Amino acid sequence: PLTIELRDLHFRYAPEDAEALAGCTASFPAGSYTAIVGASGAGKSTVANAILGFVQPDTGTILVDGQDLRGIDRNAWHAQLAWIPQSPRLFYGSIADNLRLVKPQATDAELRQAAQDAHALEFIERLPQSWDTRIGDLGQGLSGGQIQRIALARAFLKNPRLLLMDEATANLDMESESLFLDSLEKLRQGRTVIVIAHRLATAQRAERIIVIDAGRVVETGSHQELLAQG
Ligand code: ADP
Ligand code: ADP
């Protein structure tokens, strides 16, 4: 797993805008499971995008295992992480194609195992053509929960050192979210996990919660500690 450190990040999307990151400092030790919470507009996605390298902070430094992210090739960086957004896009191919995207040489047994770990195997096997079902041929498409479980299966296959989820369960009902977070318990072993959440309830399973407001970290603690503080 990777250690990520954010050191005093400042960033504005445009010169006339307020700072989206205003002295953001946080550390994500190797193997830790952290949730980032905060109100809408607090800067959570900007933090995620900075870690992904899509946002280049105006000042401040992001360190990956002690190395400045600016000096790391973006493709090499992305090869080490799995990112699951709120509405992952599946491409117009079969379910199997969508998983093999991250590991073209994956065997059928590996696909099955990843799908099982992600609680996706059961619904995939019930699709009209199982693994060969083409996404675009499904009349009503897949439910949000099913799409997220395929995204999670893909993350299992990729075997990433860092797992970064940006409101991945925000559109799911409580039962689907709970299923997703159960799978995450297995996937998180041996990895660094950062979960961006809008609701505190989603963050409950993380070891540590970081609260962001106006582009900086205002609180850090366990779920219980934060509840105790109100
Ligand atoms: P959160 O993820 O916590 O809702 P964001 O990181 O998306 O917060 O947003 C932080 C601030 O940056 C907000 O004021 C938001 O309006 C602004 N912002 C986010 N994305 C953009 C963008 N692409 N262009 C301009 N401003 C943006
Ligand atoms: P929007 O177009 O507003 O971003 P989405 O595309 O994220 O909305 O999702 C709309 C609905 O379409 C989802 O609830 C999902 O059921 C379906 N859907 C979206 N993308 C796919 C996909 N790649 N495969 C199957 N169904 C999809």
Side-chain angles (χ1 to χ4, degrees), residues 11-14 17-21 36-49 55 166-167 196-198 212 214-215:
F11 176 72
R12 291 176 206 272
Y13 282 93
D17 288 351
E19 284 189 315
L21 298 179
I36 299 179
V37 304
S40 183
K44 304 183 295 297
S45 288
T46 306
V47 168
N49 285 324
V55 152
D166 191 353
E167 309 250 12
I196 294 178
H198 187 67
I212 294 201

Side-chain angles (χ1 to χ4, degrees), residues 167-178:
E167 309 250 12
T169 59
N171 290 337
L172 307 187
D173 57 45
M174 271 171 58
E175 197 186 328
S176 297
E177 176 176 64
S178 175

Side-chain angles (χ1 to χ4, degrees), residues 86-91 135-136 138 140-144 147 171:
Q86 187 166 346
S87 304
R89 297 276 153 189
L90 302 182
F91 73 92
I135 303 294
L138 284 170
Q140 333 191 35
L142 300 170
S143 73
I147 292 170
N171 290 337

